[in-house]
Amino acid sequence: DQQVKQNSPSLSVQEGRISILNCDYTNSMFDYFLWYKKYPAEGPTFLISISSIKDKNEDGRFTVFLNKSAKHLSLHIVPSQPGDSAVYFCAASSFTSGTYKYIFGTGTRLKVLA
Amino acid sequence: EPEVTQTPSHQVTQMGQEVILRCVPISNHLYFYWYRQILGQKVEFLVSFYNNEISEKSEIFDDQFSVERPDGSNFTLKIRSTKLEDSAMYFCASMGTGRNIQYFGAGTRLSVL
């Protein structure tokens, strides 16, 4: 079941530059997408989300873009900081059986080099 | 800031034993979830719980698993007879109404020997 894919397991970026993390999905029923950040020994921490009726959402240094026709979303971090180094998961959800469940991608490990 | 609390942080058990993983969701949240992450793999949905009943469960969530909200604050996941392949990080999450954002606890690492 590969409904949500993150094809890059790792990414290294210089401090101050842009980090771009990508995510693809297959199920057109997904209507809400989220990015979570995870540090070792901690749970996923919510970062930013986007509804399927939008194509962009921005929050400070973080911007999420959604291309519904391509079933693709991306997370841009500008400028990248060493504290951004973590594993980033995209998640897709739809409202089924009276609740939202998340389908997660496999994660991308971001390393921001000082 | 309110947070989801999970105990214990690490649970070691023998194969065949029962374990109970505990979670205290954010106090005004109504939707509760369990996910697991096997080492090196993705976070997988196990079960969702709303209004004192399971609303959805995955194929992983077989008869060995059960969830309960025994009082107004705790949400538990019980594994009746643990198997080696149950070794994983188990994450509890909760969500309020009006906004589709789940907040996760720090997880319980379950090691089945």
Side-chain angles (χ1 to χ4, degrees), chain A residues 15-89:
Chain A
E15 180 179 6
R17 306 294 291 267
I18 184 171
S19 296
I20 300 177
L21 296 94
N22 294 301
C23 180
D24 297 292
Y25 62 97
T26 57
N27 189 340
S28 56
M29 296 300 292
F30 292 138
D31 59 7
Y32 201 76
F33 305 89
L34 309 96
W35 284 94
Y36 281 81
K37 180 167 75 172
K38 187 179 179 306
Y39 294 116
E42 294 184 14
T45 302
F46 170 72
L47 200 55
I48 192 169
S49 61
I50 188 167
S51 164
S52 60
I53 61 173
K54 294 187 172 182
D55 55 19
K56 177 182 173 182
N57 188 27
E58 197 170 347
D59 183 2
R61 296 186 298 114
F62 303 92
T63 303
V64 56
F65 295 92
L66 176 63
N67 182 333
K68 278 181 64 179
S69 60
K71 295 192 177 68
H72 177 85
L73 64 153
S74 61
L75 174 68
H76 293 208
I77 307 173
V78 182
S80 302
Q81 299 172 353
D84 296 329
S85 298
V87 178
Y88 288 78
F89 292 95

Side-chain angles (χ1 to χ4, degrees), chain B residues 81-97:
Chain B
S81 176
T82 50
K83 302 189 276 280
L84 294 175
E85 55 265 36
D86 293 328
S87 296
M89 282 291 291
Y90 287 81
F91 295 106
C92 172
S94 71
M95 184 175 77
T97 56

Side-chain angles (χ1 to χ4, degrees), chain B:
Chain B
E1 186 173 320
E3 58 180 23
V4 176
T5 307
Q6 289 186 244
T7 55
S9 56
H10 190 191
Q11 175 85 53
V12 182
T13 189
Q14 294 290 323
M15 189 170 57
Q17 295 295 303
E18 175 183 288
V19 294
I20 297 176
L21 310 183
R22 301 181 192 279
C23 171
V24 178
I26 294 173
S27 64
N28 60 346
H29 283 186
L30 299 178
Y31 297 88
F32 313 110
Y33 305 84
W34 284 100
Y35 293 81
R36 79 171 186 192
Q37 184 183 28
I38 295 172
L39 186 64
Q41 299 185 24
K42 64 180 181 179
V43 177
E44 298 175 288
F45 169 78
L46 290 179
V47 65
S48 59
F49 191 86
Y50 171 73
N51 201 24
N52 285 320
E53 60 183 24
I54 291 174
S55 44
E56 190 170 356
K57 57 184 181 180
S58 71
E59 58 271 15
I60 303 168
F61 195 89
D62 61 23
D63 292 343
Q64 294 300 313
F65 291 86
S66 62
V67 289
E68 195 176 33
R69 189 154 160 82
D71 53 43
S73 59
N74 290 283
F75 180 51
T76 61
L77 174 69
K78 182 193 290 186
I79 308 176
R80 201 183 338 271
S81 176
T82 50
K83 302 189 276 280
L84 294 175
E85 55 265 36
D86 293 328
S87 296
M89 282 291 291
Y90 287 81
F91 295 106
C92 172
S94 71
M95 184 175 77
T97 56
R99 210 171 171 213
N100 176 9
I101 297 172
Q102 295 177 24
Y103 294 89
F104 285 77
T108 293
R109 178 174 298 285
L110 176 64
S111 299
V112 182
L113 307 178

